[in-house]
Amino acid sequence: MIGGLFIYNHKGEVLISRVYRDDIGRNAVDAFRVNVIHARQQVRSPVTNIARTSFFHVKRSNIWLAAVTKQNVNATMVFEFLYKMCDVMSAYFGKISEENVKNNFVLIYELLDEILDFGYPQNSETGALKTFITQQGIKSQTKEEQSQITSQVTGQIGWRREGIKYRRNELFLDVLESVNLLMSPQGQVLSAHVSGRVVMKSYLSGMPECKFGMNDKIVIDKQGKGGSSEDGGKSGKQSIAIDDCTFHQCVRLSKFDSERSISFIPPDGDYELMRYRTTKDIILPFRVIPLVREVGRTKLEVKVVIKSNFKSSLLAQKIEVRIPTPLNTSGVQLICMKGKAKYKASENAIVWKIKRMAGMKESQISAEIELLPTNDKKKWARPPISMNFEVPFAPSGLKVRYLKVFEPKLNYSDHDVIKWVRYIGRSGIYETRC
Amino acid sequence: MPYLGGEDTVRELRRALSNPNVQSDQLRYRNTILKVIRAMSQGVDVSGLFSDMVKACATVDIVQKKLVYVFLCSYAALNPELSLLVINTLRKDCQDPNPMVRSLALRNMTNLRLPSLMEYVEQPLTAGLRDRAACVRRVAVLGWAKLHNLQPNSEIDAAVVNELYSLLRDPDPVVMVNCLRALEEILKEEGGIAINKPITHHLLNRLKESDVWGQCEVLRILQRYRPQSEDELFDILSLLDASLVSPHPQVMAATLSLFLSLCSGLPAVSLAALERVRGPLLAACGSVSRELRFTALCHIQVSLLLRSLPGLMGAHYKRFFCGYAEPAYIKQRKMQVLVELVNDDNVTMLLDELKGYCTDVNTDTAQAAISAIGRIGRSYSDRCLEILTGLLALKQEHITSAVVQTMRDLVWVCPQCSDTVCLALEGCEETLQDSQGRQALLWLLGVYGEQVSSAPYTLEVFIDGVRSEVSLGVKMELLTTTMRLFLCRPAETQDMLGRLLHYCIEEEPDMCVRDQALLYYRLLHCGIEETQKVLQGRRSDPSLGVLIGRPSEPISQWACSFNTLEPLRQGTVETDSTSRGSPEHVTFEPKPNTDLSDTLNCSQVEKVPSGETGRTPFLARIHTDTHKPLFLASLPFSYPFNKCLCFYMPI
């Protein structure tokens, strides 16, 4: 039971306030601002208790979203709800920023009304919500649309309306992954995981039944070795072990639990089919080898080698290595083999950018950092070297094996559907200690 | 639009609203209303426009209707009479053929929150319960809960309650869950909705149909159900097994909570359930969103999950290593979890990692890391002391302070460490700046005075600077330390003690310090033996050894608070070592609440310890620095986190 929802900008001005239950008074809005947004110290916890009222907040860019309650609620649920709320809002107007919130405040009030009633979550699926929300051009409704609402509200499939038609049946699959790594200076992997998403854009007519297949270890093992031998040879790794995954509500979970097959009737347009996480056998696209030498008290020598560790036919893009420098740096001399490097005093870091880099290559940068002598005995904390990149494959090793579409009622078959798939691996928190 | 100049805005808006040209043009009318709402959300008082807005309500344009309702719901309470006018329109809308209009009208009717309108609302609500569109039924069901909430004393018709119970079998899952929610609220006095066997089985069978929020609700309410037989219990458990490893953390947590309450008599089953959720729990700890990570960590740490089942996460300790960019609150939680996970195999790795955090940019995190090392030191004292001593060499103010405090706490429970600690203390006083650290140093000097050769010299520096000392706590500690040192090394200390007592009695402005000095002065008159009895009454037990293995705690101890706010609230208590003085005063009473203030006031909360400013007589104020009540009788010693406090005798 959420008692109220508030949205503030970074200054603490209230952009949206919606109170659902009487036990939340007007002063709650100000209490959160004074005690959390304007507090002198850093945020101590995402949950704040003020006078037996709990404030749960999340931040999106510089916008604060706070849910307030007086009851002893399930914190996980409230946070999940706030995330869902953010998702819904960004589905309507893109990024959650002060500008967008101000421009869409009527829409937000409308959404808040539909999503929560008396503080209880009611309907949080963007697709199904669209029929209830009048803002953004949906004018008064025709008879036909009215009957749709009824079928939508009573029917089992809340996320797709009937009677969708496309001339070209097309679908796009994006496998988006972010690799997270924490490596010790000696090159030992301290922790690594990939969190990935399969995002689908579907432009399919009717109520198609889809079946999605990937190189999930459990499925492959079940099918026996015969099935996977053709494509297995090249990639080197045949199947992947998925630690955990979540699906869009359209996926029939019972089928997944029993046969581990992913079958569903997709929503129309853009949506996230599944989210997953793997921790085993991750292909780390880059290896960072740092070498820091302190030459006396006023000089540091840093050498960083990066090695790309994937097929040489592939190209990584937007590579950026960020090497932190001490606060008392006075000057930096840089030599790099490839790309451009710059010392950014305002960020206390050397930023080395490489536009493109092929696999199985290596490149290095050396820097001489001159330091101002200080009497400050504080030892430099040596923050880790972080890295950003984009690679055209999935670091987890995930491969889409098939996506079959069946629509028995309309006359198009699986072969008529144009299907596209693309893999993008990005860096999450990719750090090497030095 | 500025906050000021609201009157002009209101006047202009009223003119526009009553302009017939605007009224006839739907788009212009809609835009004018939009402006009113914008003004409202910017804090301009537009309540004066109420009657104009009521007129605007009677329209076929749904967009306009929704806008007007937003306005009406915020200002209805201020204009109860005028609100009566709206009711007619709303009631008419309840008959509309469009289910969306019906649900909208019904919802806003109940959102007006006016007790005077109750009588008009009941009839449409009853009709709404039998509406053929599910979205209207959803609203109607919750409408009854709102109605009850508005007038908690009035009896809700038994027929309605019966109808709500029968709607539990509604084909729409949201209606079903809303019924549960409504009945919970309406029947709060009677302990909520009656959960019997048929209802339970019905709810469980339909669990899969509802969305995640609904599932959480159902699982929470089912906690009250007690299965009649063991067979039934196991049937329920196997039905719930799938949700236990649900990918949605909120469902997983709710299911685990239900499992624990159902299996309260069967510890073995609970343990098996915990084993099963290990994967999802760990996943939640590594989740992308920091708030979820924080919540999961809190549950792992505070709910004593680890203490009930130490082996549960042991192999996965690396998952709790901190990332550089993580917020401080997550880092601190992770450290506390790491402390629980330590064992012979991973202790080297863990300490290496924690050592890295000690130099964190955030001072709170650094201090938390140091105190975490201290906690591990209770089992692995040698290694930890080595690290702590190494940290002293950094000569950084906040690190040294935290290290000295940690050493003080460590020495109290592991007296065998005292030799190493005493060696390390030399020279610390130069780097120590804050009062907590200096207090800790003084305490150590007092208790281990005979082992630290330079103790009198260090004290002399303190005594010479006592005039400019601002912290009350340090002054009081200084007095006690000087007295203690005098008892073991009288020749070196006598002169200083005299000077200190003289200053404190003659010149010190603070009553509390003065009274303590007087007490000591009189105590000295009673003879050395009396003094010794008072000042060295309490020492930690020299037979204390290292802690080997913790007793595992039963699950039932924390099961009831699982998946509530409890674990998140307790969080800050254990890290918070700032408010205590010396280990004798450690009471381990958790802070009663971590609320910032008791009322929702808007002024900045200033936490001023009462001891710093107030002027209260001595007896009520001994050791106000630690905010502890005064015990005049010296209490018997007990190991180690004793509840007794001071060591004073009556004068």
Side-chain angles (χ1 to χ4, degrees):
Chain A
M1 307 107 271
I2 292 162
L5 264 176
F6 307 128
I7 301 180
Y8 305 82
N9 66 6
H10 68 287
K11 283 185 256 169
E13 287 165 2
V14 186
L15 301 179
I16 302 279
S17 89
R18 179 78 174 83
V19 174
Y20 292 99
R21 297 180 75 103
D22 290 329
D23 54 3
I24 303 298
R26 295 264 161 206
N27 47 7
V29 190
D30 299 320
F32 181 75
R33 178 188 38 236
V34 170
N35 289 312
V36 180
I37 302 183
H38 289 174
R40 270 182 242 120
Q41 73 275 53
Q42 276 186 318
V43 175
R44 309 271 312 253
S45 147
V47 184
T48 317
N49 292 308
I50 308 167
R52 281 178 290 287
T53 312
S54 309
F55 294 79
F56 298 78
H57 76 260
V58 298
K59 255 187 111 176
R60 287 286 179 274
S61 61
N62 51 10
I63 293 290
W64 299 73
L65 289 107
V68 193
T69 181
K70 279 225 159 168
Q71 266 126 337
N72 191 358
V73 290
N74 171 349
T76 335
M77 197 187 86
V78 178
F79 282 127
E80 281 286 336
F81 176 78
L82 284 173
Y83 301 146
K84 189 79 213 178
M85 183 73 216
C86 293
D87 288 351
V88 170
M89 287 202 287
S90 29
Y92 272 93
F93 53 78
K95 199 176 159 243
I96 298 175
S97 64
E98 183 170 356
E99 186 73 23
N100 277 343
V101 170
K102 275 186 175 162
N103 287 338
N104 289 289
F105 73 99
V106 181
L107 169 71
I108 296 176
Y109 273 120
E110 228 183 316
L111 283 172
L112 289 178
D113 243 16
E114 290 296 340
I115 297 180
L116 281 177
D117 193 8
F118 204 38
Y120 295 108
Q122 297 287 308
N123 189 354
S124 53
E125 215 36 66
T126 326
L129 269 173
K130 277 208 162 120
T131 30
F132 291 97
I133 301 297
T134 57
Q135 288 296 318
Q136 278 202 347
I138 302 174
K139 291 171 199 96
S140 62
Q141 295 174 328
T142 58
K143 277 270 154 56
E144 201 186 74
E145 280 173 315
Q146 274 175 32
S147 62
Q148 267 176 18
I149 293 181
T150 340
S151 75
Q152 185 136 107
V153 181
T154 48
Q156 290 293 314
I157 299 166
W159 56 90
R160 190 183 178 94
R161 58 193 175 88
E162 301 227 14
I164 297 171
K165 268 224 167 76
Y166 287 101
R167 201 131 51 88
R168 250 154 77 103
N169 288 303
E170 231 175 340
L171 65 86
F172 300 84
L173 273 177
D174 283 345
V175 178
L176 309 172
E177 297 196 335
S178 74
V179 217
N180 296 288
L181 169 76
L182 182 64
M183 200 178 245
S184 74
Q186 291 77 33
Q188 194 185 11
V189 177
L190 292 174
S191 77
H193 71 270
V194 169
S195 55
R197 305 186 297 148
V198 178
V199 175
M200 185 170 165
K201 256 181 241 172
S202 68
Y203 304 104
L204 301 169
S205 316
M207 285 293 204
E209 174 77 44
C210 296
K211 214 172 159 195
F212 175 71
M214 55 183 180
N215 56 343
D216 182 0
K217 194 171 188 180
I218 299 176
V219 179
I220 304 267
D221 288 354
K222 223 187 252 175
Q223 285 171 346
K225 277 145 207 161
S228 59
S229 57
E230 314 107 59
D231 62 333
K234 273 182 248 162
S235 63
K237 185 162 71 161
Q238 299 168 6
S239 56
I240 61 162
I242 288 180
D243 281 25
D244 47 66
C245 49
T246 54
F247 294 104
H248 186 266
Q249 70 172 130
C250 65
V251 175
R252 290 186 192 87
L253 286 176
S254 52
K255 257 199 166 157
F256 180 75
D257 291 342
S258 57
E259 335 168 356
R260 226 169 151 89
S261 74
I262 303 166
S263 66
F264 53 97
I265 295 175
D268 195 34
D270 229 344
Y271 75 102
E272 187 181 291
L273 176 65
M274 71 179 277
R275 233 172 230 225
Y276 56 92
R277 227 173 61 96
T278 68
T279 49
K280 288 198 191 74
D281 301 327
I282 293 165
I283 310 162
L284 295 170
F286 285 97
R287 177 77 215 277
V288 178
I289 305 156
L291 225 107
V292 183
R293 209 158 66 90
E294 289 181 33
V295 189
R297 289 194 58 206
T298 56
K299 207 166 160 194
L300 266 181
E301 275 180 13
V302 180
K303 200 168 101 179
V304 176
V305 182
I306 58 170
K307 283 185 182 170
S308 57
N309 178 31
F310 43 86
K311 260 190 271 175
S312 48
S313 56
L314 298 174
L315 274 181
Q317 288 189 63
K318 299 180 192 166
I319 303 152
E320 187 187 292
V321 183
R322 189 170 275 269
I323 306 160
T325 54
L327 294 172
N328 54 341
T329 305
S330 62
V332 176
Q333 266 106 47
L334 292 163
I335 307 164
C336 58
M337 288 159 50
K338 225 177 158 209
K340 278 183 189 159
K342 220 181 201 174
Y343 165 62
K344 293 198 175 164
S346 58
E347 294 163 44
N348 278 317
I350 299 167
V351 180
W352 177 26
K353 285 183 181 168
I354 306 173
K355 272 199 191 124
R356 258 173 236 104
M357 186 166 171
M360 305 314 256
K361 287 261 159 54
E362 100 174 45
S363 187
Q364 82 169 35
I365 183 171
S366 22
E368 275 187 16
I369 302 173
E370 271 161 41
L371 304 173
L372 286 174
T374 51
N375 45 4
D376 190 9
K377 282 174 207 138
K378 247 185 197 183
K379 209 177 146 209
W380 180 44
R382 284 206 189 180
I385 296 176
S386 58
M387 200 174 166
N388 287 318
F389 54 80
E390 203 177 289
V391 288
F393 61 91
S396 68
L398 183 126
K399 288 257 158 36
V400 176
R401 291 170 60 217
Y402 57 80
L403 198 140
K404 292 177 192 149
V405 183
F406 310 97
E407 168 57 44
K409 282 184 200 145
L410 298 173
N411 51 349
Y412 69 94
S413 71
D414 186 37
H415 302 292
D416 303 329
V417 181
I418 307 162
K419 303 168 195 166
W420 307 89
V421 64
R422 149 174 96 155
Y423 300 91
I424 300 175
R426 290 205 182 94
S427 52
I429 298 169
Y430 203 85
E431 293 179 339
T432 307
R433 291 183 180 163
C434 62
Chain B
M1 220 179 291
Y3 277 70
L4 296 170
E7 278 174 34
D8 294 337
T9 325
V10 171
R11 205 173 305 131
E12 204 141 290
L13 287 170
R14 176 174 299 129
R15 202 176 305 137
L17 281 175
S18 49
N19 185 344
N21 289 331
V22 173
Q23 285 179 355
S24 59
D25 182 347
Q26 204 184 54
L27 259 180
R28 274 178 77 189
Y29 206 15
R30 205 193 272 177
N31 278 334
T32 317
I33 294 170
L34 204 65
K35 276 185 201 151
V36 176
I37 310 274
R38 176 164 298 149
M40 180 182 96
S41 68
Q42 279 167 350
V44 180
D45 180 19
V46 285
S47 59
L49 299 172
F50 200 81
S51 53
D52 299 283
M53 291 298 268
V54 169
K55 273 182 220 145
C57 184
T59 169
V60 285
D61 181 18
I62 287 205
V63 183
Q64 185 177 334
K65 230 183 234 308
K66 277 201 160 183
L67 290 176
V68 177
Y69 286 154
V70 171
F71 176 89
L72 293 181
C73 288
S74 352
Y75 285 110
L78 300 175
N79 293 297
E81 292 88 29
L82 282 171
S83 305
L84 268 176
L85 300 173
V86 197
I87 278 290
N88 255 330
T89 327
L90 285 169
R91 282 183 66 138
K92 208 162 72 207
D93 281 350
C94 288
Q95 318 282 330
D96 198 279
N98 186 345
M100 194 168 145
V101 177
R102 290 202 300 271
S103 68
L104 193 63
L106 212 51
R107 184 166 56 222
N108 286 292
M109 214 184 262
T110 45
N111 276 353
L112 289 176
R113 297 185 185 140
L114 287 177
S116 55
L117 302 182
M118 287 298 98
E119 44 184 323
Y120 306 100
V121 181
E122 286 192 6
Q123 190 266 327
L125 271 184
T126 320
L129 286 181
R130 299 185 194 117
D131 201 287
R132 68 196 150 74
C135 63
V136 183
R137 293 200 299 273
R138 292 177 182 177
V139 173
V141 169
L142 278 187
W144 283 106
K146 292 184 210 170
L147 219 60
H148 177 75
N149 208 32
L150 209 54
Q151 291 184 310
N153 303 324
S154 69
E155 277 291 305
I156 288 244
D157 197 359
V160 173
V161 174
N162 279 339
E163 187 137 17
L164 286 177
Y165 267 113
S166 68
L167 273 177
L168 282 175
R169 305 206 174 272
D170 195 278
D172 184 80
V174 182
V175 174
M176 174 185 87
V177 177
N178 277 357
C179 273
L180 275 184
R181 293 162 171 160
L183 285 169
E184 270 295 279
E185 301 223 3
I186 293 171
L187 304 173
K188 202 187 257 169
E189 310 266 277
E190 301 160 31
I193 178 172
I195 295 288
N196 56 22
K197 194 168 167 183
I199 290 184
T200 309
H201 289 203
H202 171 71
L203 290 176
L204 281 171
N205 285 328
R206 296 195 52 190
L207 192 63
K208 279 273 145 62
E209 289 171 35
S210 45
D211 55 4
V212 283
W213 324 114
Q215 291 186 18
C216 290
E217 202 78 35
V218 171
L219 292 168
R220 188 180 62 82
I221 287 172
L222 286 183
Q223 284 189 19
R224 286 210 300 271
Y225 182 65
R226 289 280 154 258
Q228 280 143 6
S229 67
E230 203 148 277
D231 286 345
E232 192 193 353
L233 171 70
F234 284 110
D235 281 348
I236 294 176
L237 293 186
S238 49
L239 206 61
L240 286 174
D241 192 58
S243 343
L244 196 57
V245 285
S246 158
H248 301 282
Q250 69 270 48
V251 177
M252 180 269 291
T255 318
L256 179 59
S257 182
L258 175 59
F259 252 79
L260 296 178
S261 89
L262 286 176
C263 310
S264 49
L266 302 162
V269 185
S270 315
L271 286 180
L274 283 175
E275 285 282 355
R276 197 136 162 66
V277 296
R278 170 169 45 195
L281 257 175
L282 278 172
C285 287
S287 130
V288 187
S289 59
R290 44 175 71 165
E291 290 83 13
L292 262 192
R293 241 180 302 163
F294 174 74
T295 321
L297 286 170
C298 287
H299 275 99
I300 290 188
Q301 179 231 333
V302 184
S303 67
L304 303 179
L305 209 89
L306 296 166
R307 288 185 202 168
S308 304
L309 208 58
L312 190 63
M313 305 282 181
H316 302 274
Y317 67 95
K318 278 190 186 173
R319 294 277 189 103
F320 299 98
F321 283 1
C322 305
Y324 182 71
E326 277 180 318
Y329 54 81
I330 290 190
K331 285 189 184 172
Q332 288 164 20
R333 286 299 167 136
K334 282 192 169 172
M335 287 179 218
Q336 289 173 24
V337 174
L338 284 176
V339 169
E340 300 286 342
L341 288 178
V342 76
N343 61 31
D344 289 348
D345 303 325
N346 59 21
V347 64
T348 327
M349 190 83 182
L350 267 181
L351 284 176
D352 264 0
E353 187 69 19
L354 282 172
K355 195 167 133 193
Y357 306 149
C358 292
T359 44
D360 197 281
V361 193
N362 183 321
T363 48
D364 281 346
T365 311
Q367 291 182 336
I370 293 167
S371 88
I373 294 181
R375 296 245 300 283
I376 295 178
R378 288 171 196 176
S379 318
Y380 301 93
S381 45
D382 293 343
R383 299 181 205 221
C384 293
L385 275 173
E386 199 183 306
I387 295 178
L388 290 176
T389 344
L391 285 171
L392 284 177
L394 292 178
K395 299 237 177 262
Q396 261 181 287
E397 202 183 306
H398 67 276
I399 293 184
T400 311
S401 162
V403 169
V404 174
Q405 286 176 62
T406 306
M407 283 181 165
R408 170 197 65 193
D409 294 348
L410 189 62
V411 152
W412 181 253
V413 279
C414 305
Q416 77 277 12
C417 314
S418 62
D419 296 338
T420 328
V421 169
C422 290
L423 276 178
L425 281 182
E426 311 257 349
C428 289
E429 70 278 355
E430 289 157 26
T431 7
L432 280 175
Q433 295 296 326
D434 67 322
S435 59
Q436 294 300 329
R438 283 183 298 158
Q439 244 171 292
L441 177 68
L442 283 173
W443 185 86
L444 282 167
L445 288 179
V447 177
Y448 297 101
E450 62 268 59
Q451 293 174 47
V452 186
S453 54
S454 67
Y457 306 102
T458 316
L459 267 191
E460 189 148 32
V461 178
F462 272 98
I463 291 170
D464 289 343
V466 74
R467 247 169 257 273
S468 51
E469 180 59 60
V470 277
S471 158
L472 177 72
V474 172
K475 283 190 216 169
M476 312 243 300
E477 199 67 63
L478 184 59
L479 268 170
T480 316
T481 304
T482 321
M483 284 294 283
R484 281 185 178 157
L485 208 61
F486 172 68
L487 291 179
C488 58
R489 297 163 84 161
E492 290 156 289
T493 330
Q494 191 179 14
D495 181 47
M496 297 182 224
L497 179 64
R499 270 189 289 145
L500 183 66
L501 284 178
H502 181 264
Y503 166 79
C504 287
I505 293 168
E506 296 294 326
E507 292 175 53
E508 172 61 37
D510 193 284
M511 240 359 157
C512 202
V513 178
R514 200 179 150 251
D515 280 346
Q516 199 181 6
L518 273 173
L519 170 79
Y520 284 144
Y521 182 68
R522 289 174 192 150
L523 199 60
L524 287 171
H525 277 293
C526 302
I528 204 74
E529 272 179 20
E530 283 296 310
T531 320
Q532 231 149 17
K533 221 165 39 188
V534 171
L535 278 169
Q536 294 177 335
R538 282 162 40 71
R539 280 261 168 142
S540 72
D541 188 346
S543 65
L544 288 178
V546 289
L547 284 175
I548 303 157
R550 284 181 213 86
S552 76
E553 306 195 25
I555 293 171
S556 56
Q557 208 171 335
W558 50 266
C560 56
S561 68
F562 191 80
N563 204 28
T564 62
L565 277 179
E566 214 70 11
L568 282 84
R569 274 195 194 136
Q570 290 172 5
T572 45
V573 176
E574 282 190 46
T575 47
D576 200 321
S577 63
T578 47
S579 66
R580 58 183 206 233
S582 40
E584 296 128 322
H585 310 155
V586 178
T587 52
F588 277 77
E589 65 177 288
K591 270 195 216 158
N593 66 27
T594 41
D595 277 15
L596 288 177
S597 65
D598 241 2
T599 46
L600 284 171
N601 63 354
C602 310
S603 57
Q604 184 74 44
V605 183
E606 299 283 351
K607 277 197 219 153
V608 183
S610 56
E612 303 277 338
T613 50
R615 293 267 164 259
T616 28
F618 165 65
L619 280 182
R621 290 251 329 256
I622 293 187
H623 284 239
T624 34
D625 56 328
T626 49
H627 297 268
K628 298 300 177 312
L630 172 74
F631 283 72
L632 281 171
S634 52
L635 294 167
F637 175 76
S638 67
Y639 162 80
F641 304 128
N642 29 47
K643 292 255 178 333
C644 51
L645 313 159
C646 296
F647 43 88
Y648 277 113
M649 308 264 289
I651 302 161

